[in-house]
Amino acid sequence: MTHYQSQFFLLRNILCIFVITMPPYFCDLSINIQLVDAFGYSQAEVDKYAGDVDNDKEALMKIYKALQLARGFENACNQQYMQGKIRGFMHLDNGQESIPAFVDYAIKNGDKKYSYYREHTHAIASGVPPGEIMAELFMKETGSCKGAGGSMHIFDKPTYFQGGWALVSEQLPYAAGAAKSILLDRELALSDDESFEKQDVAPPADDDRIS
């Protein structure tokens, strides 16, 4: 499956969250219409991509495992918070496990990821080790931000996870800026080296972070 196809599934799933209170059959119908009318997919593409996953046991198991990991992690966070072992603010993502599951399925490590204040499971889906995230919630030095970020500000350079943002929609202008930086990298023939510093090397030919 191509990265373009994976982005289709992520987009479809995110759209479905906005109509999640509707009956499932209506949700599917409404999302399919939006993918065609607003995002330029053909009906043949919608049908093909949906069938690709529905008939792929390995893909379905990957998504299912990501769902279970997200729910289990947030349940553990809730238990520790109720016992007073996690302090400060904490926003859980229970009931929205489908988002990190499809993020895990669709993205690559080099993709730049921005989240909001319920980002524990988004960080896990992006490849940040769960142990580091939990340590961050416990304000431990072994956390992804050495305990300074806490629940709403997880950041991880190796996976390009650019943190959660505490204000509603605060991540959007940063994500737009990141998209612009990708275009500039292509125009100026720049890429990141092993230390995440810019080097005079063009991005790979198959760079699809923006299609």
Side-chain angles (χ1 to χ4, degrees), residues 109-116 119 122-123 126 128 145 152-165 170-171 174-175 177-179 181 192 196:
N109 184 75
D111 293 337
K112 297 183 179 183
K113 304 101 176 171
Y114 287 80
S115 186
Y116 57 113
E119 93 278 33
H122 300 170
S126 299
V128 184
C145 296
M152 292 187 286
H153 302 288
I154 296 168
F155 175 86
D156 186 67
K157 187 182 290 186
T159 59
Y160 289 89
F161 188 76
Q162 306 292 307
W165 301 84
E170 185 183 9
Q171 75 277 15
Y174 292 99
S181 75
D192 293 348
F196 306 100

Side-chain angles (χ1 to χ4, degrees), residues 15 28 63 68 82 137 171 180 197:
L15 286 172
D28 279 347
I63 294 169
Q68 289 292 333
M82 296 301 289
L137 302 182
Q171 75 277 15
K180 179 64 174 179
E197 299 289 340

Side-chain angles (χ1 to χ4, degrees), residues 33-81:
I33 292 173
Q34 290 184 61
L35 287 168
V36 173
D37 292 347
F39 292 93
Y41 288 94
S42 69
Q43 189 60 52
E45 286 176 319
V46 171
D47 295 339
K48 179 182 183 301
Y49 294 163
D52 284 343
V53 168
D54 289 344
N55 299 318
D56 187 340
K57 182 177 180 179
E58 183 178 351
L60 292 172
M61 287 303 299
K62 179 179 175 64
I63 294 169
Y64 178 73
K65 289 177 180 179
L67 286 165
Q68 289 292 333
L69 176 58
R71 173 60 66 91
F73 188 89
E74 295 293 72
N75 285 345
C77 289
N78 184 56
Q79 292 172 357
Q80 298 305 309
Y81 187 82

Side-chain angles (χ1 to χ4, degrees), residues 190-202:
L190 299 174
S191 62
D192 293 348
D193 62 18
E194 294 181 356
S195 300
F196 306 100
E197 299 289 340
K198 290 300 178 186
Q199 59 182 346
D200 291 325
V201 176

